[in-house]
Amino acid sequence: MLVFEKVSEIEAHLNEKPNNESLGFVPTMGALHDGHISLIREAKQQCKTVICSIFVNPGQFNDKSDLDRYPRTPVSDKALLSSSGCDILFIPSEKEVYPGDPQAPDVNIGNLETTMEGQFRPGHFKGVMTVVNRLFEIIKPQKAFFGKKDFQQLAIIKKMAFLKNLPIEIVGCPIMREKNGLAMSSRNELLSKEERREAGNIHLILSQAASFSGKYSVIELKEWVIDQFKNQEHIKLEYFEIVGQDDLQPVMDLSKGSVIGCFAGYIGKVRLIDNIEIMVSHKS
Ligand code: AMP
């Protein structure tokens, strides 16, 4: 696996590659786990060359202490990537990514940006779009791979690529989970054993809710989920919303195709998100 830290060096390397060689890109913030590696594997299935970036982007942290606490494990990340078929690792400093002031892409993604995560993490998606757009400019991949765990992020990157007319296919990949159902996340490292055990209940509650979709209305489902989280010792629910897959706007009834139930909550100071697809089955 080749490793580049400098923009000029990775650009020079990529310029030497034949134009018809497909390039798959997996942007990450490191502290890699099997969720990230599943994206690398999918990229390797679809593309000749796979590039992973590791960059903890300060612009997307609305909470400075969250940025300071964010786990950083570059040595084990490199070993994991090179044993997983990744061809190139790009691990730049902040100065390399932003030699001047970060420039947000000039696109209006409307209320995709202001709902759910956007409401609770103001400025977060501006930061995400800024860094992804900058990394796309440097790497110019044919395909870029994002996890459905960050469902709103995936929708926003798709919209940004569409509005900017970028020649990049955005590929959404399934959520990888721990044995107890907890969605894999770099932040899970910050949980105690007991918290990690309880965090498995997030997926349990969401999947039970999804299985009730034929019996409950949206309001009833939401109330049921809120009640379940009240019974958890460590998990503090921030929001649970049931939204349309594409526009991410709250739905009022469950009869209009498949929708997503989105969760955000805290265990101690650690913020976790997860989601579940809710297939609509009609009341009998
Ligand atoms: P992050 O390092 O948290 O910025 O994540 C980098 C990429 O990995 C994003 O596209 C995430 O959605 C994806 N990802 C993170 N956790 C998982 C997971 N458990 N399953 C699948 N993809 C994931």
Side-chain angles (χ1 to χ4, degrees):
M1 181 176 74
L2 295 170
V3 181
F4 295 99
E5 294 180 4
K6 302 256 178 263
V7 171
S8 57
E9 286 169 9
I10 193 166
E11 281 180 337
H13 175 78
L14 294 174
N15 278 337
E16 282 168 15
K17 282 191 169 293
N19 276 343
N20 58 359
E21 203 173 289
S22 63
L23 206 58
F25 177 43
V26 180
T28 81
M29 297 202 299
L32 301 180
H33 49 67
D34 283 351
H36 297 112
I37 297 307
S38 71
L39 305 188
I40 301 287
R41 297 225 164 92
E42 186 55 37
K44 199 65 198 167
Q45 289 279 322
Q46 298 194 27
C47 303
K48 170 109 180 29
T49 302
V50 174
I51 303 187
C52 177
S53 65
I54 295 180
F55 178 61
V56 183
N57 174 37
Q60 70 189 71
F61 284 81
N62 52 315
D63 173 353
K64 169 92 170 55
S65 64
D66 187 24
L67 172 63
D68 294 341
R69 266 200 317 269
Y70 201 83
R72 290 158 171 90
T73 55
V75 175
S76 56
D77 287 352
K78 275 181 204 169
L80 195 55
L81 284 173
S82 69
S83 65
S84 308
C86 181
D87 299 292
I88 299 174
L89 167 62
F90 181 45
I91 182 162
S93 66
E94 195 179 341
K95 271 222 166 78
E96 282 292 315
V97 178
Y98 303 125
D101 280 346
Q103 297 296 321
D106 186 18
V107 288
N108 180 1
I109 54 161
N111 47 18
L112 276 187
E113 194 181 357
T114 49
T115 181
M116 297 192 292
E117 290 300 279
Q119 187 187 340
F120 288 93
R121 301 185 70 189
H124 169 65
F125 288 123
K126 273 270 177 302
V128 170
M129 284 194 291
T130 304
V131 75
V132 172
N133 186 49
R134 171 79 178 123
L135 292 168
F136 281 178
E137 276 171 7
I138 297 167
I139 289 166
K140 301 182 185 66
Q142 273 78 52
K143 297 190 183 197
F145 297 79
F146 291 84
K148 289 186 182 171
K149 171 171 170 282
D150 300 276
F151 199 84
Q152 191 170 1
Q153 167 174 281
L154 171 63
I156 284 174
I157 299 298
K158 277 187 180 163
K159 183 91 185 224
M160 179 187 87
F162 172 77
L163 291 173
K164 283 183 64 78
N165 217 357
L166 299 177
I168 304 173
E169 183 186 337
I170 308 299
V171 183
C173 302
I175 303 176
M176 295 294 125
R177 299 184 178 281
E178 314 268 356
K179 274 207 186 77
N180 71 353
L182 173 64
M184 289 179 176
S185 164
S186 308
R187 289 189 170 89
N188 294 351
E189 297 308 313
L190 305 171
L191 300 174
S192 69
K193 224 173 160 190
E194 170 59 17
E195 289 171 334
R196 210 161 166 142
R197 193 196 55 72
E198 189 180 303
N201 292 345
I202 297 170
H203 180 59
L204 199 66
I205 293 170
L206 298 192
S207 23
Q208 276 181 334
S211 75
F212 295 153
S213 67
K215 292 190 228 139
Y216 287 7
S217 68
V218 167
I219 291 176
E220 287 166 340
L221 261 190
K222 283 177 71 170
E223 278 173 359
W224 184 83
V225 168
I226 290 164
D227 267 0
Q228 298 304 303
F229 280 110
K230 280 187 189 145
N231 298 330
Q232 303 301 312
E233 194 182 338
H234 299 100
I235 307 169
K236 196 171 154 285
L237 178 68
E238 189 166 62
Y239 67 76
F240 174 70
E241 286 293 348
I242 299 179
V243 300
Q245 291 244 22
D246 297 319
D247 63 2
L248 300 188
Q249 297 311 300
V251 292
M252 294 305 155
D253 72 82
L254 293 172
S255 61
K256 304 220 171 71
S258 96
V259 297
I260 296 280
C262 296
F263 161 95
Y266 280 90
I267 299 194
K269 288 185 173 156
V270 181
R271 190 169 184 281
L272 299 175
I273 58 171
D274 199 352
N275 62 74
I276 191 115
E277 187 169 1
I278 301 176
M279 309 293 260
V280 177
S281 53
H282 292 282
K283 288 184 190 184
S284 51

